[in-house]
Every structure is written in C-alpha cells, then in structure tokens.
Amino acid sequence: MFVKICGLSTIQDVEAAVRAGADAVGFVLTASPRRVSPEQARRLVAAVPEGVLTVAVFRDEPLDQVRRDAREAGVGAVQLHGEHPASAFAELRDLGLTLVRATSAAAAAGASCGDFGEDLLLLDSPVPGSGESWDWSALGEAPPAGRWMLAGGLAPANVAGAVALARPWGVDVSSGVEVRRGVKSPELIEEFLREVRAAGRG
C-alpha cells in the first residue's frame, strides 16, 4: 500500500520517513504550522532518495505561484487542496509533475481518480488538516476508482481499521505522527508504516 508522510520540515523528518519505508513525502508550502519555504523544501528534497515521491502541498495559492514555488522546490509532485476546477490541473500539466487532487470525501462522492485530470486523488476529512477522525466506512461501500489515498485523522492506533473499512489504494498522514503540532516523531512514523504494512498483508 502506498504511504505518504506529509508536513515534513527537517532533514531528520525526511530521514525518518525514508528509513521507515514511505513511498512519498510531503512539504507544505501554504499557510500552516508545518509551512516551509520553497528554499527550505529544496534542501529537504535533496535528502530524499530516488524512488520516493516528493510532494509540494498548496491551498488557494494562485496557479502562477504554485508553478513558481514547485519549480523552485524541485519536487516531483504538486498537491492542490480545495475545490479546484479541472482547468487548474490542465494548466499545470506542462510542469511534467505528478498532480494530486486533495478534497474532502463529502465533496467527492462517487469520485474517480482522474476526473479532474489528476494522477492521484486524496480524500480528506470534512476539515482538512485538522487531524480529526471521521467516518471512513462510507467510502468502503462505494470506494473511488483508481489511485486514491485516505487522509484525515489517521494515526498508528487506527490506520489498520481505517484501511479495512475504506479499502484505499494508499494513505496519507501528518498530525497522527506528531508529538506536538508540527513536530514529527520518528517512532510514530515507524509505527505508522508498520501498522499499514501489516494491514496490507492482512
């Protein structure tokens, strides 16, 4: 199962995520306690080995800023949070990066990955970035088609149950592997990956 660890802000965070076996790491380039600058993100990206996807996360920034910051950061993917139209993804396609559409599960009922031209779909809680758990079971009844990630309130203690209920292609975590807001725990990252891998084998 694909695993993304998001909101990383230090080299130590990156090393912990890579060591634990993450498939992708995310850097927040929008208003957040986890925000990093494009310059900081570039330094973090340089510590990520080939084969691990690097993702710049945006919300509500103008597309010209997204384009500029993503290039400066040197990431392999752009994640757009919110209700962006399909034209936004079409406009960014020439960057040659993986495009991730992140939206609330409620807004994406009956969704399929690729509906807006995205490469990956991320379904979050009704309050994205809040770290609040929500009812994942509805997704399991009619899961999106294609490559989609479950996010919102995931943590080592509940991710196996969430995977069993929602049956996602991948999972995304940020606050669930923090000791306090914005500060990642290598131990929690490792535990999260271990629980996901065990759930996948199950």
Side-chain angles (χ1 to χ4, degrees), residues 86-100:
S87 59
F89 295 90
E91 188 171 331
L92 296 174
R93 180 55 64 188
D94 69 311
L95 285 172
L97 303 177
T98 298
L99 300 180
V100 185

Side-chain angles (χ1 to χ4, degrees), residues 7-54:
L8 305 184
S9 58
T10 69
I11 295 293
Q12 291 75 22
D13 290 347
V14 170
E15 290 173 344
V18 169
R19 186 170 58 247
D23 301 289
V25 290
F27 309 110
V28 178
L29 275 68
T30 191
S32 165
R34 306 170 184 90
R35 185 175 195 162
V36 296
S37 68
E39 296 84 359
Q40 289 172 305
R42 176 173 283 279
R43 289 194 291 273
L44 297 172
V45 166
V48 180
E50 189 175 348
V52 177
L53 184 65
T54 54

Side-chain angles (χ1 to χ4, degrees), residues 20-196:
D23 301 289
V25 290
F27 309 110
V28 178
L29 275 68
T30 191
S32 165
R34 306 170 184 90
R35 185 175 195 162
V36 296
S37 68
E39 296 84 359
Q40 289 172 305
R42 176 173 283 279
R43 289 194 291 273
L44 297 172
V45 166
V48 180
E50 189 175 348
V52 177
L53 184 65
T54 54
V55 185
V57 178
F58 298 92
R59 179 197 300 279
D60 299 330
E61 283 75 22
L63 291 184
D64 59 346
Q65 182 182 337
V66 170
R67 178 183 296 276
R68 182 176 64 250
D69 288 354
R71 282 176 168 158
E72 187 171 351
V75 292
V78 164
Q79 178 173 314
L80 295 183
H81 264 276
E83 303 311 308
H84 293 274
S87 59
F89 295 90
E91 188 171 331
L92 296 174
R93 180 55 64 188
D94 69 311
L95 285 172
L97 303 177
T98 298
L99 300 180
V100 185
R101 177 166 70 102
T103 187
S104 72
S112 294
C113 178
D115 284 349
F116 284 57
E118 75 275 18
D119 302 297
L120 300 174
L121 174 65
L122 187 150
L123 297 186
D124 208 338
S125 70
V127 185
S130 66
E132 296 175 2
S133 298
W134 51 287
D135 182 9
W136 303 298
S137 60
L139 287 172
E141 296 168 6
R147 302 197 301 172
W148 72 278
M149 291 180 281
L150 181 68
L154 297 178
N158 66 15
V159 67
V163 166
L165 283 171
R167 294 177 289 145
W169 170 82
V171 291
D172 181 295
V173 68
S174 182
S175 60
V177 291
E178 292 178 345
V179 289
R180 60 183 184 275
R181 196 160 177 80
V183 180
K184 295 292 187 284
S185 161
E187 293 77 19
L188 288 175
I189 290 173
E190 184 175 344
E191 186 181 354
F192 186 85
L193 265 293
R194 189 164 58 244
E195 291 292 332
V196 172

